[in-house]
Amino acid sequence: MIKMAPSLLAADFSRLAEQIGRVEAAGAEYLHLDIMDGHFVPNITFGPPVVAALRKDSNMIFDVHLMIENPEQYIGGFIDAGADLVTVHAESTPHLHRAIQMIKNRGIKAGVALNPSTHPSVVEYVLGMVDLVLVMAVNPGFGGQDLISAMLPKIRTIRDMLQTAGSPAEIQVDGGIGIKTAPLAVEAGATVLVAGSSVFGRPDPGQAVREIRKSAIKEQDQPRK
Ligand code: DX5
Ligand code: ZN
């Protein structure tokens, strides 16, 4: 089943609760929360207090995408704030295994994210621990960029690695996803679709969630190439 993960980065920050309500009512399963520190990526967003405030208004899976240096220092704070899933970038820590262990030890789901230039082999020895692999289809830091098409074969490679390992982990694709690109990502093996500007950049974000899902489900019905 394809899951939708609207990214709040593209929402109107002056009325977050209202915007979240619209995608939740449309059946989006995840709420993708992009955490940026101005160091790991050249942009700054928000921290645990905002996540905790939003938690009161939503039952969606809170999917925290950490794009920060020294993630180990902040993992606990985001879990206390209500994260259901925390994803760390493989490039953000020399101790990826430890960071994932810290998340799993708190009893929530853990993800590992890869920048576009990072080889899939870096996740090989943590595949058994993670619930999700996030494939960045753009360079992290900003919404509204075009999907890098070389990330489609990378999704296929990760799908094959998971299959070989017998892992049920989700493959999340993040960046440049909309009605045209969602089917391509799903055909390659993505199961969770992050969509920022193609959802919150539209006048009706709920309708956008439904349309992107529909485009992707059509693709899922096709035989695998
Ligand atoms: C980028 C973030 C994405 C971003 C995607 O660094 O990780 O989640 O919101 O935005 P779109 O869907 O507009 O490419
Ligand atoms: Zn993201």
Side-chain angles (χ1 to χ4, degrees), residues 37 40 66-75 88 92-94:
D37 66 351
F40 182 69
L66 294 182
M67 286 163 277
I68 60 175
E69 287 181 0
N70 193 9
E72 293 90 340
Q73 195 180 334
Y74 301 99
I75 284 167
V88 286
S92 69
T93 171

Side-chain angles (χ1 to χ4, degrees), residues 1-5 27-30 170-171 182 185-187 189-193 212-221 224:
M1 190 189 120
I2 296 303
K3 288 142 193 154
M4 294 299 300
E29 290 87 355
Y30 290 51
E170 305 274 6
I171 302 179
V186 168
E187 190 272 324
T191 55
V192 184
L193 303 175
I212 297 167
R213 192 199 295 279
K214 202 167 146 206
S215 74
I217 286 172
K218 249 187 258 157
E219 179 54 43
Q220 216 184 15
D221 290 340
R224 288 258 182 257

Side-chain angles (χ1 to χ4, degrees), residues 32 34 65 67 174:
H32 188 79
D34 289 300
H65 176 194
M67 286 163 277
D174 185 1

Side-chain angles (χ1 to χ4, degrees), residues 5-10 32-36 41 43 65 67 89 134 136-147 173-178 194-199:
S7 164
L8 214 52
L9 189 63
H32 188 79
L33 299 154
D34 289 300
I35 312 301
M36 305 185 183
V41 288
N43 197 3
H65 176 194
M67 286 163 277
H89 266 265
L134 191 175
M136 284 305 304
V138 298
N139 287 298
F142 303 96
Q145 305 177 75
D146 289 340
L147 176 138
V173 61
D174 185 1
I177 294 295
V194 177
S197 45
S198 63
V199 169

